[in-house]
Amino acid sequence: MPSLDDLKKRITSVKSTQKITKAMKMVAAAKLRKAQENAEKGRPFSEKMNNIILNLNASISDKESASKLLVGTGKDKVHLCVVITADRGLCGGFNTNICRKAKSYFEKILSEGKTLKIFTVGSKGYDQLKRTYGKYIVEKINFKSVKKVTYKNAEEIGRKIIKLFDESQFDVCAIFYNKFKNVISQIPQEQQIIPIKNKENKEKKDSDIFYEFEPEENEILKDLLPRNISTQIFKAILENAASEQGSRMTAMDNATRNAGDLVEKLTINYNRSRQAAITKELIEIISGAESL
């Protein structure tokens, strides 16, 4: 049984940890509102751009001369998976859920005899995937040194992906991230960005609306397609930022509660041990007095 001094040190240690987790919860809550606003503002823009490109795709008569970024290479042999996670931990199952979704996709690709290539964005995703899928990782990037991730950072990732595509390194590209729903719920997502995949099960799509384009479709797509890839990646980063803070807020709230429960249990054990020690000392004093 631990001594009184050990129990007292343990109680002090747990209380200190509780203060840290409570502070982290408050910081996450403060950051969450801004991150949530950014994520919600980014959704209409990314969806509208995607729909415009799908509309352009539908209006192109000569598919063979269209950009490969839009229609693909015609093959489905090599898949590039861009796994976007956080650079920091202590956020519950946020990073693990993304990696679990990606791993399920990896196993499906490998079981079909296709070639897998992985591009990790965020150090936590790389740390989790390198153990099992290290030989498939072709590129990794993190933003540990960046105070705030901006669209330029997403463009950097987009350029690297397009470069790999231009070098015929892959045929299909999909990104994996967490979509923010609320503080408690973040939904792992898989989105194909090369070639662009139309969303199913929608009665009315913006891509069904007829537009007249000036200049020609191919000329617009030449500039719009690379920008759309960067936009979809930036949207994923914004969704991840909100999901990360929401997950961290929940995780730190649970940690604070657990620390409080542990302090109560340790305090009860400490009081019982102290009472037992006092009783023992009293018995020793009385026994000594009676022997004189």
Side-chain angles (χ1 to χ4, degrees):
M1 188 173 178
S3 65
L4 287 173
D5 191 46
D6 290 338
L7 285 171
K8 195 172 182 179
K9 287 179 179 178
R10 184 78 191 280
I11 291 170
T12 304
S13 176
V14 174
K15 283 184 176 179
S16 298
T17 303
Q18 187 181 32
K19 288 179 182 178
I20 294 170
T21 56
K22 190 174 182 180
M24 290 184 70
K25 174 194 169 184
M26 293 173 67
V27 171
K31 290 182 177 180
L32 175 61
R33 178 174 290 184
K34 185 65 176 178
Q36 183 178 350
E37 286 178 1
N38 291 337
E40 289 173 349
K41 287 177 182 177
R43 288 172 190 169
F45 182 80
S46 62
E47 288 173 5
K48 179 63 71 174
M49 179 171 280
N50 223 30
N51 289 330
I52 288 172
I53 291 175
L54 289 170
N55 188 282
L56 283 165
N57 183 30
S59 64
I60 293 175
S61 56
D62 186 8
K63 297 290 183 181
E64 293 183 1
S65 63
S67 172
K68 298 297 182 185
L69 285 172
L70 180 65
V71 298
T73 60
K75 301 176 184 178
D76 188 30
K77 293 182 179 179
V78 185
H79 286 244
L80 177 69
C81 299
V82 183
V83 183
I84 306 173
T85 57
D87 288 312
R88 296 173 180 83
L90 297 175
C91 49
F94 168 76
N95 295 306
T96 303
N97 291 338
I98 297 173
C99 290
R100 188 183 294 119
K101 178 79 173 178
K103 286 176 182 178
S104 176
Y105 185 86
F106 298 163
E107 293 303 321
K108 179 185 174 185
I109 294 300
L110 294 172
S111 66
E112 293 173 355
K114 298 175 182 177
T115 304
L116 172 67
K117 294 184 178 182
I118 303 172
F119 187 142
T120 61
V121 180
S123 58
K124 292 300 176 182
Y126 174 74
D127 291 341
Q128 289 194 33
L129 296 174
K130 69 178 179 181
R131 301 166 192 167
T132 309
Y133 301 96
K135 62 182 179 179
Y136 301 109
I137 297 175
V138 296
E139 190 76 45
K140 61 178 180 177
I141 188 171
N142 64 69
F143 299 114
K144 285 183 176 179
S145 59
V146 179
K147 188 175 181 181
K148 183 180 179 182
V149 181
T150 63
Y151 182 75
K152 288 185 178 179
N153 302 116
E155 272 188 324
E156 179 187 347
I157 299 168
R159 282 195 295 268
K160 289 187 177 184
I161 293 171
I162 292 170
K163 183 182 177 183
L164 291 172
F165 185 76
D166 291 339
E167 294 172 354
S168 302
Q169 295 288 325
F170 66 90
D171 302 313
V172 178
C173 178
I175 59 175
F176 296 85
Y177 62 97
N178 260 340
K179 183 177 181 180
F180 179 82
K181 185 177 181 181
N182 52 50
V183 176
I184 300 172
S185 177
Q186 299 86 35
I187 307 168
Q189 299 288 312
E190 168 205 329
Q191 181 184 350
Q192 184 174 305
I193 57 174
I194 301 177
I196 294 175
K197 192 174 181 180
N198 198 356
K199 292 183 180 179
E200 299 176 354
N201 301 326
K202 279 194 174 181
E203 294 181 1
K204 183 71 175 176
K205 308 184 194 75
D206 285 349
S207 55
D208 294 333
I209 302 171
F210 178 75
Y211 293 97
E212 288 187 2
F213 295 99
E214 182 68 32
E216 294 298 321
E217 288 87 347
N218 287 332
E219 190 175 343
I220 296 172
L221 286 170
K222 186 178 179 181
D223 178 67
L224 205 60
L225 284 170
R227 186 171 298 182
N228 180 61
I229 291 171
S230 299
T231 299
Q232 299 307 320
I233 292 168
F234 188 51
K235 176 202 72 175
I237 290 172
L238 291 177
E239 293 283 356
N240 261 8
S243 298
E244 180 187 353
Q245 298 304 333
S247 184
R248 179 173 287 115
M249 181 179 168
T250 303
M252 291 301 103
D253 181 54
N254 291 334
T256 303
R257 292 172 187 266
N258 292 337
D261 293 340
L262 185 56
V263 167
E264 287 182 10
K265 290 179 181 178
L266 289 170
T267 302
I268 291 170
N269 289 337
Y270 175 80
N271 291 336
R272 285 175 178 172
S273 298
R274 187 179 63 174
Q275 187 64 46
I278 293 170
T279 304
K280 184 180 178 182
E281 288 177 4
L282 287 172
I283 291 171
E284 288 175 355
I285 292 169
I286 293 168
S287 299
E290 288 179 351
S291 65
L292 292 174

